[in-house]
Amino acid sequence: GTIGTTPVYIGAAQFAAWKHTQLILDVVEGRGGMFSLDNGTGRRFLVRSRAYGEREIAMLHKADRLRAMQASIDSDTDAFWLAEAHRLDWSVFPTKADESSFGKADFGIRWFADGELNVSVNCLDRHLETRGDQPAIVFEGDEPGEGRTLTYRELHGEVCRFANVLKANGIGKGDRVILYMPMVPEAAIAMLACARIGAVHSVVFGGFSPDSLADRIADCGATLVVTADEGTRGGKRIPLKANVDSALERASGVDTVIVMQRTGGQVSMREGRDIWWEDACADVSGQCPPEAMNAEDPLFILYTSGSTGKPKGVLHTTGGYLLWSTLTYDLLFGPEEGRDVADDLFWCTADVGWITGHTYVVYGPLSNGARTVMFDGVPNYPDPGRLWETSQRLGVTIFYTAPTAIRALMRHGDRWVLQHDLSSIRLLGTVGEPINHEAWEWYHDIVGRGECPIVDTWWQTETGGALIAPVPGATETKPGSATLPLPGVHPELVDGEGHLLTGATEGNLVLTRSWPGQMRTIFGDHDRFFQTYFSTFPGTYFTGDGARRDEDGYYWITGRVDDVINVSGHRMGTAEVENALDEHVLVAEAAVVGMPHDIKGQGIHAFVTLKAGAEGSDALRQELRDLVRSEIGPFATPDVIQFAPDLPKTRSGKIMRRVLRKIAEGQPDQIGDTSTLADPAIVESLIEGARV
Ligand code: WTA
């Protein structure tokens, strides 16, 4: 072959991955010596590689690599993405990268569309030779020290076995499987088993009620549900199987329920429908050939909340999603040059029921060959030192959590942290909501000993992985800012009319170009996908978030500008809570808005008008709270229920939420113009009512 003129720039993890997958066949010559750095930028090798023939490879420090990535992405975007695609093992390597369009006429999101690969092969098989006996999943249960470790080889065997079980129960490519599970290795096993045979998983968070579960089962047309007898969280038991039973009284179409034994609690098993995980897996082969999937074949559906009452089935596909999880995990949490990914123990505290658990507990870490912690407990059980005691005991090096957890623990004082040795931790991350200055400082100074960088990652269920975040070692951080876009991410701020804003300013956050990890559709409703995200500011993807951009180009996310609220990092639509309240016979109408909450970030303030003759009382408040718990789940319980004689409406009958938000925020003086209200007098009575 010929020697390329421009070197290919890669980092340590990618170099290791390429060596493992034999992409690099041979190191022909090491330039500048194996251990000395070439003018401070890294090491250069002349390699013979499958992708490039004989070619120079420069291994760079993250800062230089990031710069090199930005430069090459700008000069030839498609070539850049096809080079990045080499992070994955493909059975058919793609020839095309981005074929997406945000415009109405040729709307669609497509990446690597002629490539073929299997996600489970990338997360498991390709590591077996080099990392087979290395821990893949480190499981920590609800009780401290209750746990086990699965190596890549063990995980591979379990996944193949469960894939065979799914097949034996009639599940094949494209079929939908609901997972309603605790945070146990079996949840990851079931996800990867689906991926192995091309089935589409939809994980439903274990905190959702039977009604919410039934809605999701029905919406995606699932035929099989995987669950556990019970979950345990903070010493309490959650009746998962019983919830599935009641969900299936409402939703039809499910003919198999596979039940994993978690607590050994009593459950009823329906003959002909319900089978035990352990029984099903006995005498099943630990080999299962992977299904070759097109890059654009669905990988999973994950329901999330929007402005309307009906949750959206966010659909992610195989190639783009996996590449984005793999790349962003490496950039944000991967090793620096000279270290291996398995030198780290990565702990993302998110539940697999949310996108963060998909991307940064399961797919991103495993695709990179990392060691990932799965935690089935809560931060304050048995005491507020739990996360730190566990970090010390397991030797966690990278810790990634939500601001709400940080705020909750901060309140208990420093001693819970300081009594543990956290010197193994080298990097901290946050996700899910804006982090306030005080929490950032505490996280940095107390948990991070004033030494660990904080990676504040802004992203969404829809984006597949982080989009705006600092690359440690490369991006200088500012407390409270998610900093700068990752390579290939093109954020802009627009005003209410969609006009592009430049320089330091504040506005609606949009993305002007696609990236591989972008969602592809709302399951079963492609038109709603376009309407929801691409019609507000035509030609762009609208995030629903507001943001400020400072003079250094740094982004500061200010929060949702639509009717979505973020309670303890749990995203929900105000309309969902309203629909639940409306179910009560005495409720005439309900309007729900977010309110500031010290720990949860946002709390839920519900304004409720009752039918004629009904009286508001504490007993009714409790009934309404219980109703929301049973309709949605405990995390959606309103903090404040204010009985209101009427709601502020325009003359055309539209509720003016802006007014309600200001009242809930305790800032009635900022309500502004109310002259368009049908009955401006109502505002005074609501302000009065909020005081009591
Ligand atoms: C918010 C979670 C500020 C934001 C991955 C977004 C954030 C919504 C951050 C998505 C952050 C997420 N700083 N706000 N670092 N990360 N958000 O779909 O409002 O559960 O739109 O995805 O969380 O929530 P979701």
Side-chain angles (χ1 to χ4, degrees):
T2 51
I3 301 173
T5 44
T6 43
V8 180
Y9 296 98
I10 64 175
Q14 198 175 353
F15 186 79
W18 285 15
K19 259 194 344 210
H20 289 151
T21 57
Q22 291 251 306
L23 203 64
I24 295 174
L25 302 171
D26 195 14
V27 176
V28 182
E29 191 187 322
R31 295 257 180 102
M34 281 297 282
F35 300 103
S36 71
L37 298 178
D38 184 14
N39 59 33
T41 57
R43 301 186 302 206
R44 281 165 182 254
F45 303 94
L46 191 63
V47 299
R48 209 152 50 75
S49 82
R50 216 159 61 187
Y52 298 107
E54 220 159 76
R55 182 85 187 233
E56 196 169 84
I57 284 197
M59 266 172 76
L60 298 182
H61 290 306
K62 277 199 174 161
D64 298 306
R65 184 155 60 104
L66 196 63
R67 230 169 291 143
M69 284 176 88
Q70 297 284 19
S72 76
I73 205 170
D74 291 343
S75 72
D76 186 344
T77 311
D78 259 33
F80 170 85
W81 284 116
L82 289 172
E84 283 296 325
H86 280 300
R87 288 172 180 275
L88 305 180
D89 259 21
W90 303 75
S91 45
V92 177
F93 194 80
T95 63
K96 301 176 215 161
D98 184 12
E99 297 176 279
S100 311
S101 164
F102 290 176
K104 196 170 173 66
D106 54 350
F107 175 68
I109 315 297
R110 270 156 66 92
W111 283 82
F112 311 113
D114 61 354
E116 270 180 26
L117 74 168
N118 183 284
V119 166
S120 79
V121 167
N122 278 279
C123 291
L124 302 168
D125 303 58
R126 67 165 166 163
H127 304 312
L128 291 183
E129 200 180 310
T130 47
R131 300 183 183 277
D133 299 317
Q134 172 197 305
I137 294 179
V138 177
F139 169 58
E140 168 80 8
D142 193 33
E143 297 298 329
E146 178 220 355
R148 65 188 170 116
T149 295
L150 278 97
T151 65
Y152 274 94
R153 203 178 315 286
E154 288 164 343
L155 186 59
H156 176 263
E158 296 292 318
V159 167
C160 287
R161 244 185 295 282
F162 198 67
N164 286 327
V165 168
L166 291 174
K167 278 206 279 196
N169 283 284
I171 297 298
K173 187 170 175 171
D175 293 337
R176 273 83 62 209
V177 173
I178 289 272
L179 311 182
Y180 186 64
M181 302 279 284
M183 267 299 281
V184 291
E186 283 77 2
I189 290 167
M191 291 164 79
L192 290 161
C194 287
R196 192 152 193 97
I197 62 171
V200 182
H201 61 70
S202 184
V203 186
V204 176
F205 175 57
F208 274 113
S209 68
D211 277 358
S212 299
L213 177 60
D215 289 344
R216 286 155 176 77
I217 291 171
D219 188 85
C220 75
T223 51
L224 189 145
V225 175
V226 187
T227 190
D229 47 5
E230 297 173 314
T232 63
R233 298 219 105 187
K236 292 198 209 84
R237 295 196 170 191
I238 298 145
L240 295 174
K241 173 63 166 65
N243 287 352
V244 170
D245 291 341
S246 36
L248 292 185
E249 280 166 23
R250 276 193 39 200
S252 57
V254 171
D255 26 59
T256 313
V257 178
I258 303 180
V259 188
M260 173 239 162
Q261 217 176 52
R262 172 78 179 101
T263 64
Q266 274 293 315
V267 295
S268 71
M269 296 290 279
R270 179 184 291 189
E271 185 77 36
R273 186 193 70 183
D274 304 348
I275 50 179
W276 290 105
W277 173 297
E278 291 77 4
D279 295 346
C281 286
D283 306 319
V284 172
S285 163
Q287 294 298 325
C288 175
E291 188 77 34
M293 303 296 285
N294 181 274
E296 283 300 342
D297 281 336
L299 176 63
F300 65 84
I301 299 165
L302 184 60
Y303 285 87
T304 193
S305 300
S307 298
T308 69
K310 192 172 177 291
K312 299 176 284 213
V314 169
L315 186 120
H316 282 287
T317 55
T318 302
Y321 170 80
L322 187 65
L323 183 66
W324 196 251
S325 336
T326 309
L327 167 66
T328 54
Y329 178 86
D330 179 31
L331 279 177
L332 302 174
F333 306 119
E336 254 300 349
E337 213 257 285
R339 285 171 58 92
D340 183 75
V341 66
D343 294 340
D344 282 309
L345 179 60
F346 178 73
W347 184 5
C348 165
T349 64
D351 192 285
V352 286
W354 310 111
I355 190 70
T356 310
H358 282 62
T359 307
Y360 298 115
V361 174
V362 180
Y363 291 117
L366 295 180
S367 171
N368 277 282
R371 296 189 292 152
T372 181
V373 175
M374 283 186 85
F375 176 47
D376 200 21
V378 291
N380 56 2
Y381 177 82
D383 61 48
R386 177 63 191 274
L387 298 180
W388 323 123
E389 181 274 324
T390 303
S391 292
Q392 176 183 349
R393 178 161 41 80
L394 299 178
V396 169
T397 66
I398 308 172
F399 183 81
Y400 185 38
T401 197
T404 185
I406 299 167
R407 286 191 299 264
L409 295 176
M410 186 168 84
R411 207 180 47 157
H412 291 281
D414 301 355
R415 69 186 174 98
W416 293 105
V417 186
L418 297 176
Q419 64 193 215
H420 300 287
D421 176 6
L422 295 184
S423 57
S424 62
I425 295 181
R426 69 169 179 91
L427 190 62
L428 298 171
T430 75
V431 58
E433 16 157 6
I435 182 164
N436 49 310
H437 209 279
E438 199 192 352
W440 196 98
E441 296 289 348
W442 187 81
Y443 199 34
H444 184 257
D445 294 346
I446 306 302
V447 180
R449 313 177 303 279
E451 287 170 9
C452 300
I454 294 183
V455 180
D456 178 349
T457 60
W458 172 83
W459 57 295
Q460 313 178 295
T461 307
E462 293 88 339
T463 71
L467 294 195
I468 303 181
V471 174
T475 317
E476 212 162 303
T477 57
K478 299 183 187 184
S481 169
T483 75
L484 299 167
L486 293 174
V489 177
H490 299 271
E492 293 288 354
L493 299 177
V494 298
D495 68 15
E497 276 72 54
H499 301 302
L500 207 62
L501 304 168
T502 54
T505 182
E506 189 167 337
N508 301 300
L509 181 64
V510 299
L511 296 152
T512 57
R513 280 197 242 164
S514 186
W515 63 98
Q518 184 168 26
M519 73 183 280
R520 298 303 195 258
T521 193
I522 293 175
F523 183 76
D525 201 345
H526 199 55
D527 187 51
R528 185 175 171 208
F529 177 48
F530 180 84
Q531 290 304 329
T532 307
Y533 301 101
F534 302 91
S535 68
T536 317
F537 304 116
T540 72
Y541 165 84
F542 178 38
T543 62
D545 278 321
R548 183 166 70 76
R549 187 171 52 214
D550 71 16
E551 52 292 343
D552 297 322
Y554 276 47
Y555 285 87
W556 303 72
I557 309 297
T558 49
R560 302 288 306 200
V561 294
D562 55 7
D563 294 322
V564 169
I565 48 178
N566 194 329
V567 179
S568 298
H570 295 329
R571 171 174 163 180
M572 66 194 88
T574 52
E576 286 171 75
V577 185
E578 289 164 5
N579 289 349
L581 292 167
D582 285 342
E583 293 286 308
H584 197 283
V585 283
L586 297 182
V587 171
E589 192 171 29
V592 166
V593 294
M595 58 178 247
H597 190 286
D598 282 351
I599 303 226
K600 300 199 262 188
Q602 275 188 305
I604 300 176
H605 187 129
F607 296 86
V608 175
T609 61
L610 298 175
K611 289 188 181 146
E615 275 291 329
S617 65
D618 281 346
L620 182 54
R621 277 200 183 87
Q622 194 51 48
E623 273 179 43
L624 292 173
R625 286 206 177 90
D626 291 343
L627 183 62
V628 175
R629 290 169 76 89
S630 75
E631 291 277 320
I632 305 176
F635 58 87
T637 314
D639 297 272
V640 175
I641 294 179
Q642 180 178 346
F643 295 113
D646 205 348
L647 297 174
K649 290 186 184 158
T650 59
R651 276 176 212 106
S652 59
K654 204 168 164 304
I655 296 174
M656 276 182 83
R657 288 166 184 285
R658 175 177 62 82
V659 173
L660 295 177
R661 264 186 227 120
K662 287 296 166 203
I663 294 172
E665 284 165 12
Q667 298 184 318
D669 47 313
Q670 288 178 24
I671 286 175
D673 183 19
T674 54
S675 58
T676 56
L677 284 178
D679 175 15
I682 188 67
V683 175
E684 269 317 308
S685 87
L686 289 175
I687 295 171
E688 196 50 44
R691 281 208 194 95
V692 291

